[in-house]
């Protein structure tokens, strides 16, 4: 049975999953969800698929998963024989998990700001931008330290699912009125990420040229 | 225009502006694009494409020209437009030119001057050699206040003594013979950039610089808490 992704092209969270599927050169089927303006993710039919009413959802051979970070771990664990994207050694595993939680937690403030500006969501935009800046500062501090150590990625010497999970809403921040001026290490990391082989762009994130 | 004072201001650390990249910065509310061609020469321009006003910091570098992300118009180091992809036969008129500011490096820091006719000297803290880059960081605090607060701020380094290195420059001397140079970038009403380099034996190894970079994060917290 094929991998099926319940997907929306403008979703940064769905993009995380597409990035890893493409890095691993996996074939998959796409079920398009009309997130905006259709709000199909809140439809009765979709709530049967994910009662949280969120995308992405992955169907993989009888396993149904929600949450982009969980899906990244599932795909890496099942299909990446090299273990490169989800390292299991004690020195890196915990750190990768930590940054995955950060990507699904603090960093989602940048997604909230974008939902407000691009899709008209009603929320406290000032708070969203402030919290997004606070999260970017944490990530930029970390990547600055990695730079000083001679490292380029969030954990270890190679990109991992932590980089994939943190990339989309960082790169899409401008859509939510959040600039990258204050984050030099973050900018260099994003540039390195876009240079990865088989990197796929999305609307708002140009292919590296 | 005479909009800006004749003074050199730090906009980043040289090593963090990669060849082949275009980067955004703000000085006194004025948006800048900092880009470096493959020849390594840094350029600091008004962050605005003369064609449709798109931010040039979103652009991309091809060889030694900066290309706007919107319609791909290409500009060479002097600001002159040299290529319009939609009209490949056309030699772009001389009037199509980006606004260019001076860009120079000293102590591993990238400096610019936005005045119409810059004549003030670059900040001078002695010889160019011996400085190691630490990091850039941004503090939610106006530049003038930041300079004042730096004097008493807790950076967690033993026997630290703050000094004044001139307009927009602070120094911290430590008990172990280390000098930190903090070049302050006035970003806007509530924000300043700190571009920090260090001189001394204790800044040679990457482990020592990592430790100092963490102290700068502590310093940022201290500055914002005041």
């Amino acid at each position: 049975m094929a991998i099926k992704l319940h997907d929306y092209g403008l979703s940064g969270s769905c993009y995380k999953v597409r990035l890893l599927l493409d890095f691993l050169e996996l074939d998959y089927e796409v079920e398009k969800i009309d997130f905006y303006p259709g709000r199909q993710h809140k439809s009765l039919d979709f709530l049967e698929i994910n009662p949280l009413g969120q995308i992405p959802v992955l169907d993989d051979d009888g396993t149904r998963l929600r949450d982009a970070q969980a899906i990244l771990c599932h795909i890496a664990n099942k299909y990446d024989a090299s273990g490169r994207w989800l390292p299991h050694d004690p020195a890196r595993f915990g750190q990768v998990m930590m940054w995955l939680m950060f990507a699904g937690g603090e960093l989602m403030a940048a997604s909230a700001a974008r939902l407000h500006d691009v899709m008209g969501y009603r929320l406290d935009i000032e708070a969203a931008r402030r919290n997004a800046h606070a999260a970017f500062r944490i990530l930029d501090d970390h990547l600055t330290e990695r730079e000083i150590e001679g490292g380029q990625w969030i954990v270890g010497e190679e990109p991992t699912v932590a980089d994939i999970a943190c990339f989309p809403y960082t790169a899409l921040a401008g859509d939510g009125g959040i600039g990258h001026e204050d984050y030099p290490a973050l900018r260099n990391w994003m540039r390195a990420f876009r240079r990865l082989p088989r990197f796929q762009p999305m609307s708002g994130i140009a292919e590296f040229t | 225009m005479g909009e800006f004072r004749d003074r050199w201001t730090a906009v980043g650390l040289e090593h963090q502006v990669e060849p082949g990249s275009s980067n955004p910065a703000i000085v006194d509310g004025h948006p800048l694009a900092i880009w470096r061609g493959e020849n390594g020469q840094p350029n600091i321009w008004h962050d605005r494409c003369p064609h449709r006003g798109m931010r040039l910091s979103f652009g991309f570098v091809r060889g030694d020209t900066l290309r706007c992300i919107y319609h791909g118009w290409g500009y060479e180091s002097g600001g002159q437009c040299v290529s319009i992809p939609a009209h490949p036969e056309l030699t772009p008129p001389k009037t199509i030119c980006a606004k260019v500011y001076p860009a120079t490096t000293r102590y591993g820091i990238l400096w610019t001057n936005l005045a119409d006719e810059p004549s003030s000297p670059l900040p001078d803290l002695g010889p160019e050699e011996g400085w190691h880059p630490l990091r850039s960081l941004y503090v939610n605090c106006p530049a003038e206040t930041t300079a004042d607060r730096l004097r008493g701020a807790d950076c967690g380094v033993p026997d630290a003594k703050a000094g004044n290195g001139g307009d927009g420059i602070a120094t911290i001397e430590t008990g172990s013979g280390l000098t930190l140079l903090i070049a302050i970038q006035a970003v806007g009403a509530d924000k300043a950039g700190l571009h920090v380099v260090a001189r001394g034996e204790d800044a040679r190894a990457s482990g020592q610089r990592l430790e100092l970079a963490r102290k700068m994060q502590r310093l940022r917290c201290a500055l914002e808490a005041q």
Side-chain angles (χ1 to χ4, degrees):
Chain A
M1 207 166 102
I3 300 172
K4 182 158 95 176
L5 176 64
H6 299 260
D7 185 39
Y8 177 59
L10 296 181
S11 157
S13 295
C14 294
Y15 180 46
K16 297 175 188 179
V17 179
R18 296 197 302 271
L19 279 168
L20 182 57
L21 290 166
D22 289 332
F23 284 139
L24 294 173
E25 297 179 280
L26 295 170
D27 288 326
Y28 63 99
E29 190 185 313
V30 164
E31 178 80 30
K32 283 191 179 174
I33 304 298
D34 179 12
F35 182 89
Y36 180 84
R39 286 181 62 79
Q40 194 187 340
H41 58 301
K42 300 295 184 190
S43 69
L44 295 177
D45 283 343
F46 192 80
L47 289 172
E48 284 188 25
I49 293 168
N50 179 5
L52 291 181
Q54 296 169 343
I55 46 173
V57 168
L58 189 83
D59 287 325
D60 180 17
D61 202 15
T63 301
R64 172 165 283 170
L65 295 169
R66 60 172 187 252
D67 186 294
Q69 283 63 238
I71 294 170
L72 289 177
C73 289
H74 167 79
I75 294 169
N77 185 50
K78 182 169 174 182
Y79 296 104
D80 175 26
S82 75
R84 164 184 189 223
W85 291 99
L86 181 62
H88 283 79
D89 61 282
R92 289 183 293 165
F93 178 81
Q95 289 191 58
V96 169
M97 286 297 133
M98 185 178 83
W99 288 106
L100 283 176
M101 300 300 153
F102 176 82
E106 287 82 356
L107 206 51
M108 290 304 279
S111 167
R114 182 168 170 265
L115 286 172
H116 173 276
D117 284 11
V118 177
M119 296 176 193
Y121 274 50
R122 288 191 184 191
L123 48 84
D124 184 345
I125 184 62
E126 293 311 319
R129 290 193 186 128
R130 197 168 53 243
N131 292 336
H133 274 296
F136 288 150
R137 180 185 271 193
I138 298 287
L139 188 53
D140 185 68
D141 282 353
H142 175 69
L143 289 165
T144 301
E145 293 182 6
R146 295 289 298 131
E147 253 184 33
I148 294 171
E149 292 171 335
Q152 193 171 30
W153 306 107
I154 293 178
V155 181
E157 300 313 310
E158 287 184 301
T160 65
V161 287
D163 296 281
I164 296 177
C166 289
F167 176 76
Y169 288 116
T170 304
L172 292 166
D175 287 356
I178 302 161
H180 291 134
E181 287 85 358
D182 303 351
Y183 314 109
L186 207 57
R187 293 197 303 263
N188 289 338
W189 165 76
M190 283 191 286
R191 210 171 286 120
F193 190 91
R194 287 163 62 211
R195 274 195 293 250
L196 287 171
R198 295 185 297 281
F199 168 81
Q200 292 295 323
M202 72 166 270
S203 179
I205 302 177
E207 199 166 352
F208 194 80
T209 47
Chain B
M1 292 208 302
E3 198 183 337
F4 298 101
R5 262 206 303 151
D6 179 11
R7 61 184 294 228
W8 290 90
T9 182
V11 290
L13 293 180
E14 192 196 5
H15 79 286
Q16 281 194 308
V17 178
E18 295 179 339
S21 76
S22 186
N23 303 270
I26 297 172
V27 171
D28 288 328
H30 189 60
L32 301 173
I34 305 175
W35 69 276
R36 202 194 273 277
E38 269 146 35
N39 65 10
Q41 184 191 331
N43 304 275
I44 302 177
W45 293 2
H46 184 199
D47 197 2
R48 188 180 187 285
C49 178
H51 177 219
R52 293 286 179 204
M54 174 58 72
R55 294 182 65 175
L56 288 169
S57 59
F58 293 156
F60 50 96
V61 178
R62 285 274 172 80
D64 295 323
T65 61
L66 176 63
R67 295 210 173 246
C68 178
I69 197 160
Y70 199 7
H71 299 96
W73 288 26
Y75 300 87
E76 65 180 13
S77 258
Q80 174 65 44
C81 180
V82 290
S83 152
I84 298 177
H87 302 281
E89 310 302 322
L90 181 79
T91 301
K94 292 286 174 211
T95 48
I96 305 176
C97 196
K99 171 73 181 156
V100 176
Y101 298 106
T104 190
T105 57
R106 181 177 272 188
Y107 311 130
I109 297 170
L110 201 50
W111 309 81
T112 193
N113 187 328
L114 304 186
D116 287 343
E117 288 169 24
S119 62
S120 67
L122 269 171
D124 189 355
L125 280 93
E128 169 73 32
E129 297 73 35
W131 293 96
H132 304 278
L134 275 191
R135 66 165 300 181
S136 291
L137 66 174
Y138 293 79
V139 53
N140 294 320
C141 184
E144 305 76 36
T145 321
T146 299
D148 288 341
R149 287 183 183 176
L150 271 170
R151 278 188 261 286
D154 174 8
C155 62
V157 178
D159 303 319
K161 218 166 64 193
N164 191 339
D167 193 8
I169 309 279
T171 58
I172 296 176
E173 309 269 351
T174 74
S176 62
L178 189 78
T179 303
L180 300 180
L181 187 171
I182 304 176
I184 302 168
Q185 170 189 356
V187 175
D190 301 311
K191 199 190 286 177
L194 308 180
H195 306 285
V196 191
V197 295
R199 186 174 60 191
E201 280 303 313
D202 284 0
R204 253 178 221 287
S206 69
Q208 292 167 317
R209 288 201 302 281
L210 188 65
E211 203 50 48
L212 287 167
R214 291 196 176 125
K215 295 298 184 198
M216 292 305 102
Q217 294 167 30
R218 177 190 172 115
L219 181 68
R220 181 181 59 202
C221 285
L223 290 170
E224 290 181 348
Q226 278 188 47

